[in-house]
Amino acid sequence: MKTLPDAKKWKLIVQQNLNESDTAEEKEIDSHTFWVTELQKQNTISATDLRKLRVVLSAHNDSWLEPFVADKGLEALIEVNATQENDDLQLECLRCLKIFYKQ
């Protein structure tokens, strides 16, 4: 474990936490369709929700991100960022968007 890069360690931790969850809601959070739907409901999204999305985005590879983008998730995220006046929400949106640049 000491020789693994930090990004890989973080991914293992996130996957372990997702695997330990037993509720349907927690497993649904790992679904790209869940997040696209949540982002499209712009008025109800919170900074906490966006933090959870950021963790999910950083834990997945292109095979998860591609359907997210295809289902207009990236467009919805950009729209949320553009329409928010709350600094915390904008910051979390930008942190989510930053993940796409790292991929």
Side-chain angles (χ1 to χ4, degrees), residues 56-70:
V56 170
L57 289 171
S58 64
H60 289 85
N61 58 19
D62 290 343
S63 65
W64 191 94
L65 294 175
E66 287 172 4
F68 178 80
V69 172

Side-chain angles (χ1 to χ4, degrees), residues 25-41:
E25 179 183 332
E26 288 175 345
K27 291 191 187 268
E28 189 177 62
I29 287 175
D30 199 36
S31 163
H32 74 274
T33 53
F34 170 81
W35 287 109
V36 171
T37 304
E38 288 299 305
L39 288 168
Q40 290 172 342
K41 300 186 233 171

Side-chain angles (χ1 to χ4, degrees), residues 1-102:
M1 276 301 260
K2 290 183 180 181
T3 60
L4 288 175
D6 289 341
K8 180 67 175 174
K9 289 177 189 176
W10 179 248
K11 186 174 182 177
L12 290 171
I13 290 169
V14 170
Q15 287 175 341
Q16 180 64 32
N17 287 340
L18 290 174
N19 289 340
E20 289 177 356
S21 65
D22 292 329
T23 67
E25 179 183 332
E26 288 175 345
K27 291 191 187 268
E28 189 177 62
I29 287 175
D30 199 36
S31 163
H32 74 274
T33 53
F34 170 81
W35 287 109
V36 171
T37 304
E38 288 299 305
L39 288 168
Q40 290 172 342
K41 300 186 233 171
Q42 296 175 13
N43 297 337
T44 61
I45 196 126
S46 68
T48 302
D49 293 334
L50 290 171
R51 282 186 205 102
K52 290 177 185 177
L53 173 59
R54 181 167 40 99
V55 170
V56 170
L57 289 171
S58 64
H60 289 85
N61 58 19
D62 290 343
S63 65
W64 191 94
L65 294 175
E66 287 172 4
F68 178 80
V69 172
D71 289 344
K72 310 262 189 236
L74 184 57
E75 290 177 26
L77 181 60
I78 291 168
E79 184 66 26
V80 168
N81 186 49
T83 59
Q84 293 300 321
E85 295 181 12
N86 182 315
D87 290 342
D88 290 337
L89 289 174
Q90 285 183 331
L91 179 60
E92 287 305 323
C93 283
L94 292 173
R95 287 177 174 164
C96 290
L97 290 169
K98 182 179 175 184
I99 291 166
F100 286 93
Y101 287 105
K102 289 184 176 182

